[in-house]
Amino acid sequence: MTQQGVRWTADQVLALAPDASSRKAGSKLGAAGPWSEAGSSDEGTVWGLCKGSGSKPYQTVIDIADATGPAYKCSCPSRKFPCKHALGLLLLWAGGEGAVPPGPPPDWAEQWTEGRRQRAQEKRTAGAAGSAAGSGDPEAARRRAERRAVRITAGATELEQRLADLLRGGLAGAEQAGYGMWEETAARMVDAQAPGLAARVRELGAIPSSGPGWPVRLLEECALIHLLDQGWLRRERLPDGLASTVRSRIGLPASADGPAIRDRWLVLAQYDTADTRLTTRRIWLHGTDSGRTALLLSYGAAGRAPELALPVGLELEAEVTAYSGTGQLRAALGEQFAPPTPTATRPPGVTTEQAAARYGDALRDDPWLDSVPVTLDRVIPAPDGDSWQLMDAEGDSALPITASARSRPGLWRLVALSGGAPVKVFGECGHRGFTPLTAWSEGAGEVVLLC
C-alpha cells in the first residue's frame, strides 16, 4: 500500500503537537486558504507553501514514511517540532486528496527528503559498525560500572540514614523543613549517579501540605524508597529479573537485548510528560499476532518534542525488542517494514476486576510500578459524587478515574463517545485509579484520543 492510501484523522495529527498553543495555531492553518503548490508523493512526502507575514511563503515539507514517525522541515523561524505550519499541512493532507493532490515533489522538497533518507542510512550503517567495535574494551567498561556501583551504594546508604532521621523526628518535621531539604537530598543522589533515586526524592518534596492525608502518602513513598534502597544494597541476593528491575529503578542504563519480535503493531496511545529538564514521550503498542503490549520511550530537551512520533489508531509492521527486567514492558522500535496503515483491529479487553487483579500481579515483579496498561471491554463512564468511574456494563464493579484524567478534556470526549452505551477503553490502571488514553465505540468505531 502506498502512502497515498493512508489518511490520518485530525485527532491523530493534532496528537503530534508539542503543546496546546501549537495545536491551536496549527488548526487555523488546516484549511486551503494560506496554502499554495501543496502536493504529496507515493513515497510518503507532503509539501506546500504557506503564506506568512513576510514577502516569501514558508516552505514546508514532511516525510511521513520515516521509520520513527513523521519528520518535518519548515523555513519558518519556529523552534517547535512540528511547527504550526507542519501541523496545518498535515491537517490539510488528512482532509483528502483534493487539497493536497499527488504529484512530483519540487526540487527543494525532494532535496531535503533524499538528503535526510541518505543520512539515516549512513547513520544505520555507522551504528552497526559502532556496535561491533563498541565491545572492544570490556575491561574498561567493567571498571566504570564498578566505580558507579560504589557511588550508588554510598548514596543509597546516606539516603537510608536521612529516611531514618525523618521518621525518628516525626513526619510533621517534613512540613516545617520545606522543599529545600528534599532538593538538597536529591542533588546528593545525582552526585551518587542514581537519577532514579533523585527523582523519587523530588517527588517526596511535593507531598507535605499537599492536602488531606498527606502524612499517609509521605509514609508510603518513604517505604517504597526504603525498599528500593534495600533492593540495591542486597541486589546480589535477588533473582536476576528483579535485580534488573532494581537497577532500572535506580537509574542505571539498560539495553534492549531481548529477541526482536516482528509483528503488526497497533499504536494504542501517545502522550508527553514534561519537567524543567526533559520531555518524555510514551507510546503504547499492541502486537496483533503476539498479543504483547510494548512501551516505547522517547526523550527531548526541555521545550522540545521528542523525535519519535507514531499516529494513534494506525498499525505498522515492525520489529520491537524488549528491555531486560521482570515484567518489563519497555521496548525499542527496530526496523519498520511498511508505513502505518488504517486497521479495524482492536485490542482484546478485560473487566474492571480483572484489570485491578492484573495490576496486583504486576506489583509482585515490580513493587515500584505506578500502573499497568489495560484495555477495558464494555465499560460505561458514570459520575460518582464529585468524581467519575468506569463501570462494567454487565457487572457491578467499577474503577475510579484518576484525578489527573478528570481535569482533562479527554473525559468529556469519552462521555460523549459513550452516550450511556458501553465502549472499549485503553489506559493505565494503578493505585490512583484508571487513566483513559484511547477509546473505541461498539463495533469498529473510529478511535478517539483522550490524552
Side-chain angles (χ1 to χ4, degrees):
M1 177 183 291
T2 67
Q3 284 289 339
Q4 287 299 318
V6 181
R7 295 286 165 180
W8 302 353
T9 66
D11 277 350
Q12 289 167 339
V13 171
L14 293 175
L16 303 174
D19 52 42
S21 60
S22 298
R23 191 177 299 115
K24 182 177 180 180
S27 298
K28 294 180 179 179
L29 295 175
W35 293 96
S36 62
E37 301 182 27
S40 57
S41 72
D42 287 346
E43 288 73 33
T45 305
V46 181
W47 61 87
L49 302 176
C50 186
K51 183 179 179 181
S53 57
S55 58
K56 293 184 178 180
Y58 296 125
Q59 295 178 337
T60 307
V61 56
I62 303 167
D63 182 5
I64 302 172
D66 185 80
T68 60
Y72 321 92
K73 172 67 175 178
C74 185
S75 59
C76 76
S78 174
R79 298 181 63 187
K80 296 180 179 180
F81 295 94
C83 67
K84 63 181 181 180
H85 306 102
L87 288 170
L89 181 58
L90 276 176
L91 287 170
L92 191 67
W93 167 79
E97 294 184 3
V100 187
D107 291 341
W108 57 270
E110 186 172 25
Q111 289 173 5
W112 175 78
T113 305
E114 292 301 321
R116 190 178 189 284
R117 292 177 181 174
Q118 182 178 351
R119 289 191 297 272
Q121 180 59 42
E122 291 172 352
K123 185 176 180 180
R124 286 193 292 269
T125 303
S131 62
S135 58
D137 195 358
E139 181 60 25
R142 184 188 65 80
R143 290 196 297 268
R144 288 194 298 271
E146 287 180 350
R147 288 195 295 269
R148 183 171 184 178
V150 170
R151 293 192 187 97
I152 294 174
T153 297
T157 303
E158 179 182 347
L159 183 54
E160 283 290 275
Q161 184 60 53
R162 295 199 177 200
L163 290 175
D165 292 342
L166 171 66
L167 296 178
R168 188 178 300 112
L171 296 182
E175 187 175 26
Q176 300 169 357
Y179 189 75
M181 177 188 72
W182 303 107
E183 186 58 38
E184 190 269 337
T185 304
R188 296 284 294 168
M189 296 305 104
V190 172
D191 293 341
Q193 294 185 290
L197 286 177
R200 286 191 167 270
V201 169
R202 289 193 181 96
E203 291 175 0
L204 280 182
I207 296 177
S209 304
S210 60
W214 71 260
V216 174
R217 295 194 297 274
L218 182 62
L219 185 60
E220 289 174 347
E221 291 302 319
C222 286
L224 287 173
I225 292 179
H226 169 69
L227 184 63
L228 184 55
D229 276 344
Q230 292 299 315
W232 171 261
L233 296 173
R234 293 169 170 77
R235 59 192 180 280
E236 294 84 1
R237 308 180 193 177
L238 300 178
D240 291 342
L242 185 56
S244 295
T245 299
V246 168
R247 288 193 292 268
S248 175
R249 293 294 183 182
I250 287 286
L252 288 175
S255 58
D257 53 6
I261 302 174
R262 180 170 177 172
D263 205 339
R264 293 175 294 119
W265 297 95
L266 172 64
V267 185
L268 291 173
Q270 172 180 296
Y271 68 95
D272 295 349
T273 56
D275 56 28
T276 57
R277 300 172 182 81
L278 197 68
T279 297
T280 302
R281 174 164 293 165
R282 290 171 170 81
I283 302 177
W284 286 108
L285 304 178
H286 167 72
T288 303
D289 299 326
S290 65
R292 296 184 60 138
T293 301
L295 173 65
L296 307 180
L297 293 180
S298 181
Y299 302 95
R304 299 288 296 270
E307 288 189 5
L308 182 62
L310 298 175
V312 177
L314 300 188
E315 183 181 80
L316 67 154
E317 184 177 358
E319 285 185 342
V320 163
T321 304
Y323 280 72
S324 59
T326 304
Q328 179 65 260
L329 295 178
R330 186 185 175 188
L333 182 64
E335 183 178 356
Q336 185 173 328
F337 302 99
T341 58
T343 179
T345 302
R346 302 291 179 258
V350 299
T351 65
T352 56
E353 284 186 348
Q354 291 170 329
R358 184 172 295 182
Y359 176 59
D361 292 340
L363 287 176
R364 289 201 300 264
D365 296 327
D366 185 352
W368 307 276
L369 192 64
D370 285 330
S371 60
V372 294
V374 174
T375 301
L376 299 177
D377 205 12
R378 293 184 57 77
V379 291
I380 302 172
D384 179 25
D386 295 333
S387 302
W388 283 79
Q389 61 184 354
L390 292 172
M391 304 189 309
D392 282 316
E394 278 84 28
D396 56 0
S397 62
L399 283 175
I401 294 179
T402 57
S404 60
R406 296 198 303 268
S407 64
R408 297 198 296 257
L411 172 61
W412 304 112
R413 294 183 198 162
L414 177 60
V415 173
L417 176 69
S418 168
V423 291
K424 182 186 287 282
V425 183
F426 170 78
E428 296 171 349
C429 179
H431 61 94
R432 295 182 180 89
F434 187 87
T435 301
L437 300 175
T438 311
W440 302 264
S441 58
E442 287 281 82
E446 184 176 294
V447 60
V448 174
L449 281 61
L450 307 175
C451 56

